[in-house]
Amino acid sequence: MGRAFVYVILGGGVAAGYAALEFVRRGISHGELCIISEESVAPYERPALSKGFLLPEDPARLPSFHTCVGANEEMLTPKWYRENGIELVLGTKVKSADVTRKTLLTATGETISYKILIIATGARAIKLEEFEVRGSDAENVCYLRNLADASRLVDVMRSCTGGNAVVVGGGYIGMECTAALVKNQIKVTWVFPGKHCMGRLFTPKIALFYEDYYKSMGVNFIKGTVLTSFENDSGRKVTAVVLKDGRRLPADMVVVGIGIRANTGLFEGQLNMDKGGIKVNGRMQTSNSSVYAVGDVAAFPIKLFGNDVRRLEHVDSARKTARHAVAAIMAPRKTGDLDYLPFFYSRVFTLSWQFYGDNVGEVVHFGDLSSGRFGAYWVDQGRIMGAFLESGSRKEYEAIAKAVKLKATVEDMAKLEREGLEFAFQV
Ligand code: FAD
Ligand code: NDP
């Protein structure tokens, strides 16, 4: 049994949706493009899963957050794919790939062949078991990567109203899920190994602002330690977590966000790898010229950082690398190397921040941390390399993005601190 397509997108997440949009914009014929996804729904905006989807009132539900909601583009519902002649093969896992033969074998036994393949397999949540902790498959322990995880998290949350949750991991999932749990009337103890939350991006000063805010919302922090084991009832539920420092925390539920691994497994030994992902050039092309990789799974050169290869785990990068790959496929002569400005953001409670660039060099904070109107610049060798801003307006975010994109020259650090946002507006 087999089918053949000109273009196949492997994976049906954020990058797949944006790649499909770009194919349609540039003009494909019906029946040329196929998307294969393990998930049972058409591509959607994954960031909604830790935000609108978890709201206690009027939560976001599909179809309201299919790609490209929130990105000023049309919304790609299943009908859109039908009308554009795109074959959606959903609920189907690809279990092996052969880039020499240009074929994919699905778990249902079908062979799907392609002329051009775009790998958009994203990533999977790292499990506690990878750190020798057993029992994270209990009914009330939640990870969050896909719609099924989010639906389960909502069910568990609803059964724990008024109870206690332990959130494990001080990164994005920890931060956004803690806020969501609080909004759902659940008391949270947030446990992570670092000295402060979001240790890979936030400075201690920036983290202090958010941690103080979280404390004012009743969140309890336990830092500098990790979970070592679970205590269970006689059934499949966790009743407490035990930490490395010996503390025992009773828990009605646990949320774990301890990072991700890119889904590269199908291509190990077939394509060049880097930074835990599939290595691509500035046109998103892998070491096999018929195969492209985009989104969380792709490690690509960032011009702004001297072509340093990075694997970014954020939605803006998934959207832009996907569209660029399609441009490179369909208009090869007109498409050069992607010139990408890394962009990360988050929204928690009534707070909202954006970051552009790279967090290297010396940090200059500006504004008023106590009022929540503040930001920071990262300055390396006299140039702005990164910029962070809480509660900015669109114009302000555009200004800091421009300062980073142009690597604005800084002559006087004290002046930069005094000028704060004004500096960016003068660039
Ligand atoms: P994904 O969106 O993960 O899609 C991968 C797809 O491939 C999935 O559908 C998966 O099922 C499928 N797949 C994998 N292997 C196979 C296989 N063998 N066969 C078939 N299908 C397969 N980023 C931000 O910048 N801001 C945010 O606010 C933000 N919020 C987030 C909230 C959550 C809860 C999560 C999990 C992520 C968030 N991110 C955010 C990160 C962002 O969503 C990812 O960077 C983005 O989804 C990456 O897109 P992708 O298409 O590469 O991968
Ligand atoms: P992150 O990489 O953001 O954070 C992982 C956290 O877990 C870090 O605090 C890390 O500490 C900690 N950690 C690592 N190992 C252990 C361990 N064994 N026990 C306890 N803690 C540990 O990953 P998340 O899981 O938070 O997020 C998953 C993905 O989802 C990321 O790709 C992220 O970009 C994406 N996402 C993005 C959002 C956004 O952009 N707004 C929102 C939600 C998700 P340390 O740093 O000290 O190693």
Side-chain angles (χ1 to χ4, degrees), residues 17 24 34 56 109 118 124 126 178 192 204 238 250 274 292 309 313 336 374 395 407:
V24 169
C34 164
I118 299 182
R124 62 175 175 80
I126 296 176
T178 293
F192 49 83
V238 160
D274 197 3
Y292 292 71
V309 172
E313 300 174 350
F374 69 94
K395 281 204 164 132
K407 290 191 188 163

Side-chain angles (χ1 to χ4, degrees), residues 50 131 145 168-174 176 193 200 226 257-260 313-314 345-346:
S50 52
F131 296 93
R145 182 67 202 180
V168 180
Y172 287 92
I173 290 285
E176 294 188 4
R200 291 177 205 179
V226 292
I258 56 169
I260 59 173
E313 300 174 350
H314 292 276
Y345 72 92
S346 182

Side-chain angles (χ1 to χ4, degrees), residues 359-392:
N359 55 333
V360 290
E362 200 179 326
V363 185
V364 172
H365 297 90
F366 60 83
D368 177 13
L369 271 119
S370 61
S371 72
R373 283 283 293 153
F374 69 94
Y377 294 111
W378 279 256
V379 182
D380 196 34
Q381 295 174 29
R383 311 287 293 268
I384 299 278
M385 294 303 290
F388 177 97
L389 183 62
E390 165 61 42
S391 295

Side-chain angles (χ1 to χ4, degrees), residues 210 350-354 372-374 389-393 396-397:
Y210 293 99
T350 55
L351 305 173
S352 164
W353 57 261
Q354 296 193 6
R373 283 283 293 153
F374 69 94
L389 183 62
E390 165 61 42
S391 295
S393 65
E396 290 168 341
Y397 286 131

